[in-house]
Amino acid sequence: MIKIELEKNKVIKLNTSSKVFVPTQTTHYLLEAIKENIDKKKKLEVIDMGCGNGVLGISLLKMFKNITRLVFTDISKESLEDCKKNIQINNLKKKNSDLIISNVFQKISIQKFDVIINDISGISEPVAQISPWFDRVSCKSGRNGTNLTINFLKNYKKYLKKKGKVFFPLISLSNEKIIFSYLKKNNIKYKIILEKKWPIPKSMMKHSNFLKKLKSKKYINFDEQFGLIIANTKIVYLV
């Protein structure tokens, strides 16, 4: 079990089984950005897509009493089992929450949310296969890492309330240009509300030639500094 301190006197506890995606720094960046941009007074209905062990949604329920309903979704049955346990561990079982197995919006009935959070896989599938993040965990994002994000962008408007907010990460270990091109082509207004650079794990550096080959084919992008491969995470807010 791990403990995460959210704020002073606010801590969550989490269990994660071996087949469940362990949240990375990107999830923490996403939480940081949402905290600064979420409505703190209006009653909110929220959906956490790609919830994993529930860290993001559980954190929000702990921090914001104005969230009246939170829907957790993931393609993984094991993830939702962990999420359910973690909701109970953190004494949130009385909160109005639902858990749904779904590939993006596939199993989500048409309903409207004030906040949609997309933390579904957004890195190149070949990169996921050599990373420590997706050990025994599915990643079906395609060679350029954009398949699931494009699927999300094609459908999110049907589920968003008027003046609702959408948050999702873009990671340079994918072809970000495809996402930005889609946003522009479809007149979807957005802001980048947080941007962070970070070195890839040391365990991945032995695959540096493979990563450079993927970069040369424009499947991914990164910088190189001091012998390290530096990736980039942007948190996108649709306005």
Side-chain angles (χ1 to χ4, degrees):
M1 181 179 292
I2 60 172
K3 293 183 180 180
I4 299 175
E5 185 174 354
L6 304 173
E7 300 172 328
K8 187 177 180 180
N9 299 323
K10 288 188 179 178
V11 176
I12 63 170
K13 301 175 183 179
L14 298 169
N15 273 329
T16 300
S17 62
S18 61
K19 293 184 179 181
V20 174
F21 182 80
V22 177
T24 65
Q25 193 62 41
T26 292
T27 301
H28 295 289
Y29 295 153
L30 189 52
L31 178 60
E32 181 182 339
I34 294 169
K35 282 166 56 179
E36 296 300 319
N37 292 276
I38 198 172
D39 193 320
K40 299 172 178 64
K41 295 182 180 179
K42 175 186 173 183
K43 290 183 178 179
L44 300 175
E45 292 185 280
V46 179
I47 184 168
D48 175 11
M49 309 191 72
C51 66
N53 64 11
V55 57
L56 195 54
I58 288 171
S59 298
L60 292 174
L61 286 173
K62 278 284 189 179
M63 289 189 289
F64 300 105
K65 294 183 179 179
N66 59 314
I67 296 178
T68 58
R69 181 174 180 238
L70 206 149
V71 176
F72 296 86
T73 79
D74 202 287
I75 195 172
S76 162
K77 179 182 177 181
E78 290 83 4
S79 290
L80 291 180
E81 288 173 352
D82 273 4
C83 183
K84 184 176 180 179
K85 291 175 185 176
N86 289 330
I87 289 170
Q88 295 171 342
I89 288 169
N90 289 282
N91 298 315
L92 294 170
K93 57 186 177 182
K94 292 182 180 179
K95 290 281 187 177
N96 190 0
S97 58
D98 298 305
L99 291 85
I100 302 172
I101 296 177
S102 182
N103 182 6
V104 195
F105 288 107
Q106 188 178 38
K107 299 294 183 180
I108 310 298
S109 59
I110 298 297
Q111 51 191 299
K112 303 284 186 178
F113 296 93
D114 299 286
V115 178
I116 299 178
I117 302 164
N118 172 14
D119 197 15
I120 298 169
S121 305
I123 68 171
S124 166
E125 205 169 318
V127 175
Q129 291 169 358
I130 62 169
S131 80
W133 310 311
F134 289 87
D135 184 27
R136 289 176 288 182
V137 178
S138 173
C139 177
K140 301 296 182 183
S141 52
R143 290 191 69 81
N144 58 29
T146 65
N147 289 2
L148 298 174
T149 303
I150 292 295
N151 185 337
F152 171 83
L153 291 172
K154 285 180 178 179
N155 292 284
Y156 81 92
K157 288 184 179 179
K158 293 182 287 188
Y159 299 86
L160 189 65
K161 290 183 182 180
K162 188 177 182 180
K163 296 184 179 180
K165 298 181 178 182
V166 176
F167 301 91
F168 66 94
L170 270 184
I171 303 170
S172 64
L173 298 178
S174 69
N175 190 330
E176 299 172 291
K177 289 184 179 180
I178 291 176
I179 303 300
F180 287 122
S181 176
Y182 183 90
L183 293 171
K184 183 177 181 180
K185 181 179 178 181
N186 290 276
N187 297 312
I188 300 173
K189 295 181 180 180
Y190 68 91
K191 290 181 181 179
I192 296 172
I193 54 176
L194 186 147
E195 185 169 358
K196 299 281 188 179
K197 292 183 178 181
W198 46 275
I200 67 168
K202 290 182 179 179
S203 64
M204 293 176 66
M205 286 302 297
K206 62 185 178 183
H207 301 287
S208 60
N209 289 336
F210 175 64
L211 293 171
K212 289 175 185 178
K213 185 176 180 180
L214 291 176
K215 180 180 178 179
S216 70
K217 293 184 176 182
K218 299 184 179 180
Y219 292 133
I220 65 174
N221 194 24
F222 54 80
D223 295 322
E224 294 181 72
Q225 296 177 5
F226 310 111
L228 298 174
I229 289 177
I230 308 297
N232 177 290
T233 295
K234 300 178 181 71
I235 304 302
V236 182
Y237 165 46
L238 301 186
V239 298

